[in-house]
Amino acid sequence: MLSFLRAELRGLFELLLPPCCPLCGTLLKSGVGDAFCPACLDAFAPLDSACCPRCALPYPQPSGSDHLCEACLRHEPPFVWTRCLGLYEAKLREAVHAFKFHGKVHFDRPLARLLAARLETVRQDYRPDLLIAVPLHRQRLRARTYNQSLLLARELGRFWRLPAPARLLRRVRPTHSQQGLSGDDRRRNLKGAFALTQKLAGQRVLLVDDVLTTGATARECAATLLAGGASSVAVAVLARARLQKLQ
Ligand SMILES: [Zn+2]
Ligand SMILES: [Zn+2]
């Protein structure tokens, strides 16, 4: 009787509150299962130009083959590859902003599913043992109340049935905003900012973050993970900024 009532109530809710695209409010077609409408998904700025396979820096030429960027040639990153859902532009930027700054924590599942689909091919060759989110310092976490990267890592973990431990990698030192800093200053700003709470035993790690700009944070996290016993680190982010290189 109770389950019957519950099903009836759910049906009533769906009738009263049909699912809408969280970005534009368009009514979603039932049965399709997408969390965003087709128009918003189309405007998610996929990275379909050639790019650097290590840090996903996109190149301006629409065609051409993938090759290492200058920053990765000069300082080899401690991670094996980077993949993103798309560029930090257009609707994807809007979605990441809403997820990160405006409390839209329920974007975690749809964004993680899209990212998982994007990673499916590369995951055939690189099967991670665990997912680690780029952590926030506790002061920042207190102000922001949640770490969007951890929400994302957990959803990916649920999807792939992999652990996504929250406290293994910690940000032990608060850091200034990376915005406006040069490559060297970014590296200095992050030096010693992360630590592991326990040693790893040769696991392959997928480091998860929302946005990758210069890659300085990912580099520092990956170096910490490798020093702590990870066998390798790859990086998955929602969005890649079309930006500068490390100097
Ligand atoms: Zn939409
Ligand atoms: Zn690169």
Side-chain angles (χ1 to χ4, degrees):
M1 181 66 183
L2 262 179
S3 60
F4 169 75
L5 265 179
R6 215 175 286 138
E8 285 292 297
L9 280 173
R10 195 183 303 136
L12 191 64
F13 272 124
E14 276 169 13
L15 206 65
L16 292 172
L17 298 165
C20 291
C21 172
L23 283 172
C24 69
T26 300
L27 217 59
L28 293 175
K29 278 196 189 129
S30 60
V32 176
D34 282 339
F36 300 98
C37 74
C40 284
L41 282 175
D42 277 353
F44 259 21
L47 199 179
D48 41 22
S49 67
C51 69
C52 171
R54 294 297 282 275
C55 74
L57 180 79
Y59 297 125
Q61 308 86 337
S63 59
S65 54
D66 292 352
H67 55 276
L68 287 180
C69 72
E70 197 188 326
C72 290
L73 281 171
R74 277 202 219 171
H75 306 282
E76 194 184 352
F79 42 81
V80 288
W81 51 254
T82 300
R83 292 291 186 283
C84 62
L85 184 54
L87 294 169
Y88 193 42
E89 292 169 8
K91 280 284 176 190
L92 182 55
R93 186 188 168 100
E94 210 180 293
V96 172
H97 258 247
F99 179 43
K100 184 172 179 173
F101 298 116
H102 302 301
K104 304 287 187 192
V105 289
H106 61 287
F107 280 25
D108 59 351
R109 186 162 300 175
L111 288 172
R113 293 293 157 94
L114 290 171
L115 184 57
R118 187 83 182 174
L119 289 166
E120 209 38 60
T121 322
V122 73
R123 220 173 60 87
Q124 305 295 325
D125 298 324
Y126 185 92
R127 295 206 166 268
D129 300 303
L130 76 165
L131 310 171
I132 302 283
V134 170
L136 294 177
H137 188 263
R138 62 178 189 283
Q139 286 170 7
R140 180 77 59 88
L141 186 61
R142 210 172 293 141
R144 287 251 290 272
T145 73
Y146 63 96
N147 176 2
Q148 68 287 344
S149 300
L150 179 59
L151 297 181
L152 195 62
R154 281 193 176 149
E155 278 304 322
L156 284 172
R158 239 169 244 146
F159 191 58
W160 288 329
R161 297 175 193 278
L162 287 175
R167 292 186 181 83
L168 203 143
L169 181 65
R170 295 190 56 226
R171 198 181 281 246
V172 290
R173 187 166 64 69
T175 47
H176 303 294
S177 165
Q178 296 278 86
Q179 270 181 356
L181 297 182
S182 73
D184 280 342
D185 286 341
R186 279 175 186 245
R187 279 199 293 276
R188 259 194 297 275
N189 186 31
L190 290 166
K191 203 78 208 147
F194 301 97
L196 287 182
T197 53
Q198 67 180 74
K199 286 272 177 201
L200 291 167
Q203 291 96 329
R204 290 176 169 207
V205 176
L206 185 65
L207 182 69
V208 179
D209 205 0
D210 52 355
V211 180
L212 189 136
T213 305
T214 62
T217 304
R219 280 173 182 258
E220 194 61 30
C221 287
T224 307
L225 288 161
L226 290 176
S231 66
S232 60
V233 180
V235 180
V237 294
L238 288 175
R240 177 47 156 119
R242 198 193 271 282
L243 267 181
Q244 67 276 58
K245 43 204 172 188
L246 288 168
Q247 286 134 25

